[in-house]
Amino acid sequence: SSAGTAPAWAWGVGLVFFFPHPFVCLNRDLHMEGQIWFLPRSLQLSSFQAYKLRVTHLYQLKQHSILVSVGEDEEGINPLVKVWNLEKRDGGNPLCTRIFPAIPGNKPTVVSCLTVHENLNFMAIGFADGSVVLTKGDITRDRHSKTQILHEGSYPVTGLAFRQSGKTTHLFVVTTENIQSYMLSVKDYPHLELDTHGCGLRCSSLSDPSQDLQFIVAGNDCVYLYQPDERGPCFAFEGQKLIVHWYRGYLIIVSKDRKTSPKSEFAGNEAQNSDKQVLNIYDLCNKFIAYSSIFDDIVDVLAEWGSLYVLTRDGKIHVLQEKDTQTKLEMLFRKNLFEMAINLAKSHHLDSDGLSEIFRQYGDHLYNKGNHDGAIQQYIRTIGKLEPSYVIRKFLDAQRIHNLTAYLQTLHLQSLANADHTTLLLNCYTKLKDSSKLEEFIKTSESEVHFDVETAIKVLRQAGYYSHAVYLAEKHAHHEWYLKIQLEDIKNYQEALCYIGKLPFDQAESNMKRYGKILMHHVPNETTELLKILCTDYRPSGDNEGPGMLEGKKANSEEFIPVFANNSRELKAFLEHMTEVQADSPQGVYDTLLELRLQNWAHEQDEQIKEKLHNEALTLLKSGRFKTVFDKALVLCQMHNFKDGVLYLYEQGKLFQQIMHYHMQNEQYKKVIEVCELYGDQEACLWEQALGYFARKEEDCKEYIAAVLKHIESKNLMPPLLVVQTLAHNSTATLSVIKDYLVNKLQKQSRQIEQDEQRIQKYREETTRIRQEIEELKASPKIFQKTKCSICTSALELPSVHFLCGHSFHQHCFESYSESDSECPTCMPENRKVMDMIRAQEQKRDLHDQFQHQLKCSNDGFSVVADYFGRGVFNKLTLITDLPPGKAATTIEAGLQRELLIHAKRST
């Protein structure tokens, strides 16, 4: 059942690899009886005498330097088994560690086959009479092993093989008529007959682990494989089998050539006199013939140093070297045997890159043949290694869109697709109108998503598959895309609004700012309600958390005012709700609400409703929320001619002149007088402005002018001359209007003149008296006639202290109460006040900037100038006490100066 012939072997000369065990050759092949020959890597033959007559069987262990041989030392049926240690020497020859006769019991018979277990604990010998002798224990020593007859039968034993699986050991026994399996790891060695036909000598072998250590039996028509408990697969290989071997996954069979074939290039010169034999090497795993050739009379096929060696009867050795994997694959590629190449590559454990290249070449081959379905299957197997564009370009034709879809689907399932691949696949679905596949693709679970969701949404939206796009956007939380499709494409405003209400606060806020105007235009009431919730205590709808479990968030209501463009009714409801539930709402809320109320008031025609709106607007103004935006509120009231609001704001801003001017513009004379009466004390110029206002009126305003003049007179706000000049501009105001004012003013001035003259006379008399006292102090002696102490009021007794001011003290009283020896304790407080005043005037006499400021700000500039004259700012006053030390006056003169100052202070 060969799948094909692929020459995977090559001929060569010599050995390439080193192997520690040399070839072992029988003596009869070299016409040297009883000798064993060694063929090392150098191909230099050597031998030693093992038996006296002949050597019949050899078994060389693979893992030990142990050789077991069967031969004869004397004529007759008396074969001997010898165990040789090749690493030890005895007189130059290998050391023979054990010798024992190879006969079952006392029945002399010929040895037909021999096998040894690699653990050196089992050795089996088969005989021509059907017996099998098993040696258990250390086969290299007599006393450590035990020999017994394992099997007895009537058919010659043609093959033996040990099979080790874990701790279980089996022995396969094949005769010419049957096949049996013995379990050696169990006492009494139970056995099982596997088949009722056998094979000839050297026609059985044991496979390697790649074929599960199966026992291979080659019949004339078939080759059978056996497990220890059953028969396995069967392969039909024709021809009489002569030799069977297993080597590295290959089955080697030498059989007779039944065909008339040309002479082999390796046949001897006299091949026509020899039997032709065919050497076939089968790859059972991949089911193809790896090598086939005809030889003349093959003695055996041996495996060493990584190669196969064929020994022919003419004394020649032929070496077979396996080609490398790449060479094998190239040979298969040339024959277009891609399936076989794939199987071969897998069996040789070729890496994924190598396999991908085979799949690509196979796909190209099928594509060129027109088998697009088969080609796409091969290209699918290259995903992850081959650039997808290589395949996609081949199948972009509309007639091959099914193949392209299959490839792109697999590309996505392996999570190797990019955004372009997703776009292309979705376009394929839409072109094919395959809604079922499209839904299957997009409705995978989140853990199985193998595509870029945003790209898929864009493509579906562009193709008009809005419901699918919305499904993807909602499932994968692409909120912006969901809302964009719902509002711009499907026009499902109510659903979009409900969706926003389910979003987390930050996303709900941003989306309401983006789509609020559209929603307000189509679903104003619902949008307004959502905004109220969003700006007060927002919790996503469907949130299972209790009211106390999750603190709600709130947005800045002022930022949503632009959403209500052209929706003043909803805006007013929203703003009024915010001011009711949140007294600390942003200032913009109150500003907008005031503007709305003023607009409604200005446009309302119904008097009752207008009055109600008037009161609402005024109440809002009086709420105290417009202190920081006074100017803005005032502008709004002025724009809408809201009189009461304007006056209220003027009053709050203490803009009394603006209040009066407002009444002046409306010619409300009584209101002008009322304003002056209410705020005249805080701003005196109001009366002056009122007088000027009435003076410019040509109407009869005598009553109002008289009221103003009365107040000006009582408060002395204007000079009479200025009053006369002001009223001179009014043609209707006669002298009788100001007669009483002028008379009263003149009388007051007359009384003031009299008072001033009396004060002047008093000051003159006081000055004369002080001058006389000074002269007396200078010219005449001072007589002290005080009889009582000025402190204790007791009679004076010597010693006593007298001052020129006229005060006398006991010395002990003076010392107790005086702070200075040169000053009178009684006069000292008053003198200090005078001196402090003088020093203060001295310090302030150069304060030019302060003088200028006071002069500009004072209503009576003359009094300021007089005050600074009094301080000596405009003349330099030099006191005697300020003279340099060298020019100091006498003590008496200093005392006189102080007395002068004291008297001057008293006179004031």
Side-chain angles (χ1 to χ4, degrees):
S1 60
S2 301
T5 302
W9 298 83
W11 289 96
V13 179
L15 300 176
V16 179
F17 300 98
F18 171 77
F19 195 82
H21 305 303
F23 277 126
V24 181
C25 303
L26 304 180
N27 62 340
R28 67 174 184 268
D29 298 325
L30 298 172
H31 308 291
M32 296 290 187
E33 295 184 355
Q35 291 189 343
I36 297 176
W37 291 80
F38 295 91
L39 182 62
R41 190 177 182 185
S42 62
L43 303 181
Q44 298 296 323
L45 285 171
S46 61
S47 65
F48 73 95
Q49 191 72 35
Y51 293 91
K52 295 178 181 179
L53 294 181
R54 66 184 63 87
V55 181
T56 59
H57 295 81
L58 287 178
Y59 190 91
Q60 182 181 7
L61 276 77
K62 297 178 182 179
Q63 300 178 8
H64 303 278
S65 297
I66 300 296
L67 176 66
V68 180
S69 63
V70 178
E72 300 175 3
D73 281 339
E74 57 185 20
E75 293 292 342
I77 304 176
N78 54 354
L80 293 176
V81 177
K82 295 184 179 181
V83 181
W84 307 90
N85 190 336
L86 302 180
E87 292 182 350
K88 296 182 180 181
R89 295 290 172 176
D90 182 13
N93 297 328
L95 175 63
C96 182
T97 62
R98 183 181 181 186
I99 302 175
F100 63 93
I103 55 175
N106 295 321
K107 300 177 183 179
T109 182
V110 178
V111 174
S112 59
C113 54
L114 168 70
T115 185
V116 180
H117 199 293
E118 287 295 328
N119 62 11
L120 300 178
N121 286 329
F122 293 101
M123 179 171 62
I125 304 172
F127 297 90
D129 65 353
S131 301
V132 176
V133 174
L134 177 67
T135 300
K136 184 178 181 182
D138 190 352
I139 65 170
T140 63
R141 302 176 185 274
D142 289 326
R143 62 180 180 176
H144 293 293
S145 64
K146 179 181 179 182
T147 302
Q148 66 183 77
I149 297 175
L150 178 68
H151 172 78
E152 290 183 344
S154 55
Y155 304 107
V157 178
T158 57
L160 297 170
F162 287 107
R163 182 184 187 275
Q164 186 71 38
S165 178
K167 295 182 179 181
T168 304
T169 305
H170 290 87
L171 174 63
F172 290 103
V173 179
V174 58
T175 67
T176 56
E177 298 296 332
N178 60 16
I179 303 170
Q180 296 186 9
S181 170
Y182 285 84
M183 184 179 291
L184 304 182
S185 55
V186 179
K187 190 177 181 181
D188 297 334
Y189 307 137
H191 70 280
L192 177 66
E193 187 174 5
L194 301 177
D195 217 333
T196 57
H197 60 80
C199 66
L201 285 173
R202 302 201 296 173
C203 289
S204 63
S205 182
L206 189 71
S207 69
D208 58 19
S210 66
Q211 287 292 329
D212 200 19
L213 295 174
Q214 297 184 90
F215 187 54
I216 302 171
V217 177
N220 289 335
D221 297 325
C222 296
V223 173
Y224 302 92
L225 277 65
Y226 296 93
Q227 293 285 357
D229 53 355
E230 62 180 353
R231 191 176 80 174
C234 172
F235 299 94
F237 298 144
E238 297 181 356
Q240 182 182 354
K241 313 301 186 296
L242 301 177
I243 300 174
V244 173
H245 283 294
W246 185 268
Y247 172 71
R248 290 187 179 180
Y250 294 102
L251 176 61
I252 303 166
I253 296 179
V254 179
S255 59
K256 286 187 177 182
D257 185 16
R258 292 183 178 182
K259 300 178 182 179
T260 302
S261 56
K263 183 173 65 174
S264 171
E265 59 179 313
F266 301 106
N269 295 330
E270 299 179 356
Q272 64 275 14
N273 298 327
S274 302
D275 295 331
K276 296 294 184 180
Q277 297 174 350
V278 179
L279 173 63
N280 287 323
I281 300 177
Y282 300 97
D283 188 336
L284 296 185
C285 179
N286 300 310
K287 296 181 176 59
F288 67 86
I289 299 174
Y291 177 78
S292 180
S293 184
I294 299 175
F295 290 88
D296 292 332
D297 202 0
I298 298 176
V299 176
D300 206 348
V301 180
L302 305 172
E304 281 296 348
W305 306 316
S307 301
L308 286 175
Y309 294 87
V310 182
L311 178 62
T312 57
R313 189 69 62 182
D314 57 5
K316 293 182 179 179
I317 296 179
H318 309 277
V319 60
L320 298 176
Q321 295 178 338
E322 188 175 7
K323 292 180 180 293
D324 62 272
T325 303
Q326 191 59 40
T327 303
K328 296 178 189 177
L329 295 176
E330 290 175 358
M331 294 171 65
L332 293 173
F333 294 157
R334 286 196 294 270
K335 297 183 178 182
N336 294 327
L337 299 174
F338 292 99
E339 287 290 351
M340 193 176 294
I342 292 169
N343 295 333
L344 178 66
K346 289 180 178 178
S347 64
H348 284 69
H349 304 291
L350 196 65
D351 60 9
S352 57
D353 292 333
L355 283 172
S356 177
E357 178 61 21
I358 299 173
F359 296 142
R360 183 195 66 78
Q361 293 187 33
Y362 192 16
D364 291 344
H365 171 70
L366 295 175
Y367 181 85
N368 294 329
K369 289 175 63 177
N371 184 1
H372 299 116
D373 293 339
I376 202 65
Q377 294 303 319
Q378 299 305 318
Y379 286 135
I380 285 174
R381 301 168 78 177
T382 66
I383 290 176
K385 299 297 179 182
L386 181 64
E387 175 60 36
S389 60
Y390 177 85
V391 180
I392 293 172
R393 283 197 300 268
K394 291 179 178 290
F395 293 91
L396 282 177
D397 192 341
Q399 296 179 354
R400 302 169 190 168
I401 194 171
H402 293 281
N403 302 126
L404 180 59
T405 303
Y407 180 80
L408 292 171
Q409 281 177 340
T410 309
L411 196 65
H412 281 80
L413 288 175
Q414 297 187 19
S415 300
L416 297 173
N418 57 28
D420 294 332
H421 298 148
T422 302
T423 302
L424 188 57
L425 177 58
L426 292 173
N427 283 327
C428 289
Y429 283 141
T430 55
K431 295 294 183 184
L432 294 172
K433 300 188 183 302
D434 193 346
S435 298
S436 60
K437 284 286 187 182
L438 181 59
E439 290 186 4
E440 181 183 353
F441 178 75
I442 66 174
K443 290 186 178 180
T444 55
S445 62
E446 289 193 26
S447 60
E448 298 176 357
V449 173
H450 305 287
F451 58 89
D452 183 67
V453 176
E454 187 170 1
T455 300
I457 294 173
K458 291 179 182 178
V459 175
L460 291 170
R461 184 191 183 199
Q462 186 177 5
Y465 285 79
Y466 300 126
S467 59
H468 295 78
V470 165
Y471 171 83
L472 268 184
E474 182 176 10
K475 179 180 178 181
H476 298 282
H478 285 265
H479 309 308
E480 294 184 3
W481 280 107
Y482 179 91
L483 295 172
K484 187 178 293 186
I485 297 170
Q486 287 281 26
L487 296 174
E488 298 178 7
D489 301 319
I490 305 178
K491 310 293 185 182
N492 193 344
Y493 305 104
Q494 187 66 45
E495 188 66 28
L497 190 64
C498 294
Y499 186 82
I500 293 176
K502 299 176 183 178
L503 297 179
F505 171 76
D506 295 336
Q507 297 175 3
E509 181 185 24
S510 61
N511 282 294
M512 282 304 295
K513 290 178 180 178
R514 179 175 300 178
Y515 302 110
K517 289 184 179 180
I518 299 176
L519 293 170
M520 183 62 68
H521 179 71
H522 293 90
V523 281
N525 295 331
E526 293 82 353
T527 305
T528 303
E529 291 301 318
L530 180 58
L531 286 175
K532 289 179 181 179
I533 297 173
L534 187 64
C535 296
T536 51
D537 187 15
Y538 178 77
R539 290 183 177 86
S541 60
D543 193 348
N544 296 325
E545 297 287 346
M549 299 295 291
L550 181 64
E551 182 180 355
K553 296 182 179 180
K554 55 185 178 181
N556 186 350
S557 52
E558 184 178 1
E559 297 177 356
F560 292 97
I561 293 176
V563 171
F564 294 88
N566 302 322
N567 294 82
S568 58
R569 182 175 61 86
E570 286 76 14
L571 176 58
K572 183 180 179 183
F574 172 72
L575 296 176
E576 288 178 346
H577 173 79
M578 293 308 303
T579 55
E580 290 174 3
V581 299
Q582 286 185 4
D584 58 344
S585 294
Q587 185 60 43
V589 172
Y590 288 92
D591 295 344
T592 309
L593 181 59
L594 176 62
E595 185 175 0
L596 279 175
R597 289 184 175 180
L598 291 175
Q599 287 178 355
N600 295 338
W601 171 82
H603 294 88
E604 184 58 49
Q605 301 297 326
D606 191 329
E607 292 298 329
Q608 294 182 352
I609 299 177
K610 193 176 184 72
E611 181 65 22
K612 179 181 177 182
L613 295 174
H614 175 277
N615 296 333
E616 290 178 354
L618 195 58
T619 302
L620 183 61
L621 276 175
K622 294 181 178 180
S623 64
R625 296 294 306 186
F626 299 92
K627 294 180 179 179
T628 57
V629 289
F630 173 83
D631 294 339
K632 186 174 183 179
L634 183 59
V635 169
L636 289 174
C637 292
Q638 290 173 342
M639 286 173 57
H640 296 88
N641 196 23
F642 189 59
K643 174 182 175 182
D644 292 344
V646 171
L647 295 176
Y648 172 78
L649 292 173
Y650 281 160
E651 182 180 356
Q652 293 298 311
K654 296 185 178 181
L655 302 176
F656 307 128
Q657 294 189 32
Q658 282 80 351
I659 296 175
M660 190 170 69
H661 290 162
Y662 182 86
H663 293 311
M664 289 177 178
Q665 290 175 356
N666 294 295
E667 297 185 350
Q668 296 176 338
Y669 303 150
K670 291 184 178 180
K671 293 289 185 181
V672 172
I673 299 299
E674 290 178 0
V675 170
C676 292
E677 292 175 348
L678 288 173
Y679 311 116
D681 293 340
Q682 301 179 46
E683 199 163 343
C685 63
L686 293 177
W687 291 103
E688 300 176 13
Q689 294 177 9
L691 181 62
Y693 170 73
F694 290 121
R696 290 191 295 273
K697 290 294 181 180
E698 296 300 325
E699 303 173 9
D700 187 5
C701 299
K702 296 179 180 180
E703 178 184 355
Y704 304 109
I705 294 174
V708 173
L709 288 175
K710 182 178 180 181
H711 190 85
I712 290 175
E713 179 188 357
S714 62
K715 297 294 183 180
N716 194 23
L717 300 177
M718 295 176 64
L721 182 60
L722 183 59
V723 172
V724 173
Q725 291 176 348
T726 302
L727 292 176
H729 299 288
N730 192 323
S731 59
T732 60
T734 60
L735 187 61
S736 61
V737 176
I738 59 172
K739 175 182 177 182
D740 295 338
Y741 168 76
L742 292 176
V743 170
N744 292 335
K745 198 67 178 175
L746 290 173
Q747 290 176 351
K748 285 184 178 181
Q749 289 181 353
S750 299
R751 289 194 293 271
Q752 184 65 37
I753 290 171
E754 292 177 359
Q755 292 176 359
D756 291 342
E757 289 178 350
Q758 292 176 1
R759 190 176 296 111
I760 291 170
Q761 184 63 31
K762 180 181 177 182
Y763 288 159
R764 285 177 178 174
E765 293 175 356
E766 184 69 19
T767 301
T768 303
R769 184 182 61 81
I770 292 173
R771 286 177 177 174
Q772 291 177 356
E773 289 182 359
I774 292 172
E775 289 297 327
E776 289 177 359
L777 290 173
K778 288 180 178 180
S780 61
K782 179 69 175 177
I783 300 174
F784 301 103
Q785 298 179 347
K786 288 282 185 179
T787 59
K788 293 183 178 181
C789 177
S790 298
I791 293 177
C792 64
T793 66
S794 299
L796 281 175
E797 295 179 356
L798 295 175
S800 61
V801 178
H802 302 275
F803 286 90
L804 292 176
C805 60
H807 296 111
S808 300
F809 308 93
H810 293 113
Q811 186 174 0
H812 62 273
C813 290
F814 176 76
E815 292 175 352
S816 299
Y817 290 95
S818 177
E819 295 179 3
S820 174
D821 294 341
S822 61
E823 292 188 58
C824 172
T826 303
C827 299
M828 182 176 64
E830 190 67 21
N831 291 341
R832 285 191 176 181
K833 290 180 181 180
V834 175
M835 296 303 294
D836 289 342
M837 291 174 63
I838 294 173
R839 280 193 294 269
Q841 290 178 351
E842 288 284 330
Q843 292 174 358
K844 295 181 180 180
R845 62 190 300 176
D846 296 327
L847 300 181
H848 176 74
D849 293 338
Q850 183 178 359
F851 168 73
Q852 293 291 339
H853 177 72
Q854 291 182 1
L855 187 62
K856 291 179 180 179
C857 297
S858 176
N859 294 327
D860 188 1
F862 182 79
S863 62
V864 175
V865 175
D867 178 57
Y868 274 83
F869 263 110
R871 296 182 188 179
V873 173
F874 302 105
N875 60 336
K876 184 176 181 181
L877 176 63
T878 303
L879 298 177
I880 296 175
T881 54
D882 291 337
L883 292 175
K887 299 181 180 180
T890 61
T891 305
I892 296 175
E893 290 178 344
L896 290 175
Q897 182 66 26
R898 283 196 298 272
E899 286 293 324
L900 177 61
L901 289 174
I902 291 171
H903 283 288
K905 180 64 180 174
R906 287 176 178 175
S907 67
T908 59

